């Protein structure tokens, strides 16, 4: 009946197994109880007496934890021309999605991290209509309904608009809503010990406990875009899109400093009898990000093939969060540390040059990330804390890649990533288990690496 159908099913499993294979790793080992001469010595040079002293802290092979996740999904999409108009057809698309997720975790030797196993499923239905509004204007409207087994339902939608007054010019815009579901781990009502601190009021030791929250609701967002494209010829194309994402009910936990220093939070989240601060997952506030995406592409035919040069980047104009409890907005744009749990680069871009021939392609790409200001607290040898501010420099890498079309159904790709073997800049501020040095959220410490990909279509 004129419908095009597409169905797909996928099943996947991911597993992580972590274990100690040996070494002095027991929690009772504190190096500040040993003389500086021992700390600075190569462990391979330890005397028999020193090794005997450390023997009680040694471990052989010992399992730290095991974790797995499973995902099964099915989707059905259908589309067709709904009706014909003087300016072109009205197209409609409908879809049905189903997904089942499972997560399991076990830490057999660590009582601070409880084991758990949970699962959930969700299904979604959606519809999209694309219609011409005139000779040069068209619009898109979409609606979607998601139903989750653990927290309920969410409705989202989108409206899009495109106007092409001239063959060389294009204007476009959209507004839509979205959501992010809480992870299953965030919903499990179990306690995990994170660390310990001293109560500034009583001086007693307090355990910091992270706890899942079954009442956690999804994050909700509103997205807006406004863009323009200009293509004066087939060899030159330019475009820019101004966008904003406004997220409400953001996930997070209250800081232990706020809990201890604010009476209403202390009464709610501090268990005096157990000596515990309960940092439960919550919907805390609002996040606003605004930026400009841009791209410039030049294509030039030559005797050796077509040369394509592309510059594509993102300039961030705003990145702020607001806590509902304090109603104070904080920006992390070009800033890190000082209580911030993340940072947003002001400018990121990639500049690439490709030589394209019918059977092979070779190219060079430079990636750039701008620097930022970092604030942290250092401790000197006497135990005194010092406020420290520094500039993290900009970071760039160069990749080289080549792709060979061996046969119509077979291709081989080879890439050298980070050709200069550059190490990302040092970061002093840490958050949770992000260790001092390279923060892998913003840089890759693998250095120069070779990637090979072989594709064959049957």
């Amino acid at each position: 009946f004129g419908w095009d159908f597409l169905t797909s099913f996928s099943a996947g499993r991911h597993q992580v197994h972590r274990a100690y294979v040996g070494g002095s790793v027991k929690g009772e080992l504190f190096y500040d109880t040993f003389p500086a001469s021992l700390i600075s010595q190569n462990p391979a040079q330890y005397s028999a007496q020193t090794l005997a002293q450390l023997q009680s802290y040694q471990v052989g092979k010992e399992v730290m934890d095991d974790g797995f996740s499973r995902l099964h999904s099915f989707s059905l999409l259908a589309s067709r021309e709904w009706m014909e108009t003087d300016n072109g057809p009205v197209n409609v698309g409908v879809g049905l999605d189903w997904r089942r997720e499972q997560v399991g975790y076990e830490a057999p030797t660590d009582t601070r991290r409880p084991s758990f196993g949970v699962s959930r499923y969700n299904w979604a239905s959606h519809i999209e209509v694309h219609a011409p509004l005139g000779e040069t204007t068209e619009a898109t409207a979409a609606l979607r309904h998601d139903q989750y087994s653990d927290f309920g339902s969410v409705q989202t939608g989108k409206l899009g608009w495109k106007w092409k007054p001239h063959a060389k010019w294009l204007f476009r815009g959209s507004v839509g809503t979205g959501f992010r579901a809480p992870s299953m781990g965030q919903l499990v009502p179990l306690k995990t010990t994170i660390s310990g601190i001293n109560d500034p009021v009583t001086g007693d030791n307090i355990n910091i406990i992270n706890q899942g929250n079954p009442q956690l609701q999804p994050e909700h967002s509103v997205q807006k875009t406004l863009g323009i494209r200009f293509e004066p010829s087939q060899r030159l194309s330019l475009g820019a899109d101004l966008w904003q994402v406004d997220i409400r009910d953001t996930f997070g936990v209250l800081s232990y400093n706020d809990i201890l220093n604010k009476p209403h939070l202390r009464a709610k989240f501090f268990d005096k009898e157990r000596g515990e601060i309960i940092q439960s997952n919550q919907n805390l506030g609002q996040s606003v990000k605004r930026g400009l995406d841009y791209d410039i592409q030049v294509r030039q035919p030559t005797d050796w093939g077509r040369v394509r040069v592309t510059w594509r980047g993102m300039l961030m104009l705003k990145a702020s969060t607001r806590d509902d409890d304090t109603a104070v907005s904080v920006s992390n744009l070009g800033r890190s540390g000082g209580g911030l749990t993340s940072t947003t680069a002001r400018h990121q871009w990639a500049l690439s040059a490709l030589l394209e021939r019918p059977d092979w392609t070779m190219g060079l790409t430079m990636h750039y990330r701008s620097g930022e200001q970092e604030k942290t607290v250092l401790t000197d040898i006497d135990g005194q804390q010092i406020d420290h501010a520094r500039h993290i420099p900009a970071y760039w890498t160069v990749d080289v890649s080549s792709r060979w079309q061996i046969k119509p159904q077979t291709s081989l790709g080879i890439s050298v990533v980070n050709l200069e073997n550059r190490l990302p800049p040092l970061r002093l501020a840490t958050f949770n288990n992000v260790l001092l040095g390279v923060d892998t959220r913003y840089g890759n410490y693998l250095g120069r690496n070779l990637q090979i990909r072989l594709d064959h279509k049957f």
Side-chain angles (χ1 to χ4, degrees):
F1 303 102
W3 287 91
D4 290 326
F5 293 93
L6 176 65
T7 63
S8 66
F9 174 79
S10 66
R13 176 184 172 93
H14 179 78
Q15 185 162 354
V16 173
H17 174 82
R18 298 194 301 173
Y20 294 117
V21 295
S24 303
V25 296
K26 287 295 181 67
E28 297 83 1
L29 176 59
F30 294 98
Y31 273 102
D32 57 4
T33 63
F34 294 93
S37 58
L38 177 62
I39 297 175
S40 61
Q41 189 177 1
N42 189 325
Q45 299 173 345
Y46 285 169
S47 65
Q49 181 181 1
T50 300
L51 290 174
Q53 186 180 6
L54 296 174
Q55 186 62 39
S56 61
Y57 304 110
Q58 297 285 323
V59 296
K61 186 170 183 179
E62 183 178 297
V63 175
M64 295 173 59
D65 51 17
D66 277 295
F68 77 90
S69 64
R70 294 192 187 100
L71 176 63
H72 297 82
S73 64
F74 171 80
S75 69
L76 170 64
L77 303 175
S79 62
R80 63 163 295 173
E81 289 187 5
W82 186 11
M83 63 178 68
E84 189 69 36
T85 70
D86 293 339
N87 298 303
V90 176
N91 297 307
V92 61
V94 296
L96 182 66
D97 300 322
W98 174 88
R99 183 170 63 181
R100 184 171 187 265
E101 301 172 81
Q102 291 178 280
V103 173
Y105 178 80
E106 183 179 9
T109 62
D110 192 344
T111 58
R112 299 171 303 172
R113 293 179 287 171
S115 302
F116 68 91
V118 291
S119 65
R120 74 177 174 196
Y121 68 87
N122 79 283
W123 63 266
S125 58
H126 47 93
I127 182 171
E128 181 175 342
V129 178
H130 176 266
L133 302 182
E135 294 184 0
T136 60
T137 309
E138 57 188 59
T140 301
L143 290 173
R144 180 182 176 96
H145 173 85
D146 283 83
Q147 183 73 42
Y148 281 77
S149 61
D150 47 8
F151 66 80
S153 61
V154 183
Q155 286 71 231
T156 53
K158 179 180 179 180
L159 289 174
W161 159 83
K162 186 186 295 184
W163 177 42
K164 195 170 184 178
H166 190 274
K168 298 179 180 180
W169 290 94
L170 172 67
F171 299 89
R172 60 193 175 197
S174 67
V175 59
T177 59
F179 78 99
R180 182 168 69 135
S183 71
M184 288 184 286
Q186 289 175 308
L187 295 170
V188 176
L190 296 176
K191 295 181 178 181
T192 302
T193 303
I194 303 298
S195 60
I197 62 169
N198 291 325
D199 190 335
V201 178
T202 64
D204 297 334
N205 184 62
I206 299 175
N207 288 326
I208 300 176
I209 308 295
N210 188 272
Q211 179 173 290
N213 180 7
Q215 305 304 317
L216 193 65
Q217 293 298 304
E219 294 181 337
H220 297 273
S221 65
V222 177
Q223 301 86 238
K224 302 174 183 178
T225 67
L226 183 62
I228 182 174
R229 291 209 66 83
F230 176 53
E231 298 183 355
S233 69
Q234 293 184 348
R235 298 182 181 182
L236 177 62
S237 175
L238 304 93
D241 289 275
L242 180 66
W243 56 267
Q244 177 171 298
V245 180
D246 188 342
I247 304 174
R248 303 178 307 281
D249 303 321
T250 54
F251 301 144
V253 296
L254 297 172
S255 72
Y256 60 81
N257 283 325
D258 283 345
I259 293 175
L260 289 177
N261 295 320
K262 296 180 179 180
H264 69 289
L265 296 179
R266 188 182 182 101
K268 186 176 182 180
F269 297 107
F270 178 47
D271 189 332
K272 186 176 181 180
E273 293 183 1
R274 294 178 175 270
E276 295 178 346
I277 291 177
I278 307 299
Q279 290 183 312
S280 61
N281 296 320
Q282 298 183 59
N283 298 106
L284 286 182
Q286 183 180 21
S287 170
V288 178
K289 290 195 174 184
R290 184 184 306 127
L292 180 70
D293 293 345
Y294 61 88
D295 68 275
I296 302 174
Q297 187 172 135
V298 179
R299 298 173 291 272
Q300 179 64 47
T302 69
D303 294 339
W304 306 282
R306 182 172 58 187
V307 176
R308 184 193 302 268
V309 178
T310 304
W311 185 28
R312 181 175 288 108
M314 178 175 64
L315 177 64
M316 291 298 298
L317 305 175
K318 182 176 183 178
S320 66
T321 58
R322 184 179 66 85
D323 188 340
D324 284 343
D325 183 62
T326 61
V328 175
S329 295
V330 178
S331 173
N332 70 353
L333 184 57
R335 299 169 55 207
S336 63
L340 299 172
T341 58
S342 63
T343 181
T344 301
R346 289 186 179 275
H347 201 184
Q348 297 184 80
W349 52 259
L351 177 62
S352 64
L354 296 175
L355 176 61
E356 301 172 328
R357 294 178 61 90
D359 55 349
W360 64 270
T361 301
M362 179 171 288
L364 189 76
T365 302
M366 179 179 179
H367 302 275
Y368 172 85
R369 177 187 172 92
S370 61
E372 63 202 49
Q373 293 298 121
E374 180 186 55
K375 291 183 178 181
T376 189
V377 177
L378 304 181
T379 304
D380 65 15
I381 195 170
D382 297 322
Q384 300 296 317
Q385 291 190 334
I386 305 169
D387 291 332
H388 180 68
R390 60 189 289 268
H391 178 71
I392 298 177
Y395 175 60
W396 59 267
T397 59
V398 174
D399 303 340
V400 178
S401 62
S402 180
R403 186 173 182 272
W404 177 31
Q405 194 69 39
I406 302 173
K407 294 181 178 180
Q409 71 275 22
T410 307
S411 65
L412 175 65
I414 301 177
S415 302
V416 179
V417 179
N418 194 356
L419 181 66
E420 296 289 316
N421 198 29
R422 293 174 55 84
L423 187 69
L426 174 72
R427 293 177 180 270
L428 299 180
T430 62
F431 175 65
N432 283 352
N433 293 326
V434 178
L435 301 179
L436 168 68
V438 173
D439 191 330
T440 54
R441 294 176 295 179
Y442 316 113
N444 189 330
Y445 59 71
L446 291 179
R448 182 189 302 115
N449 59 92
L450 176 67
Q451 299 179 0
I452 301 176
R453 174 170 176 164
L454 179 66
D455 288 312
H456 182 77
K457 297 179 180 180
F458 297 94

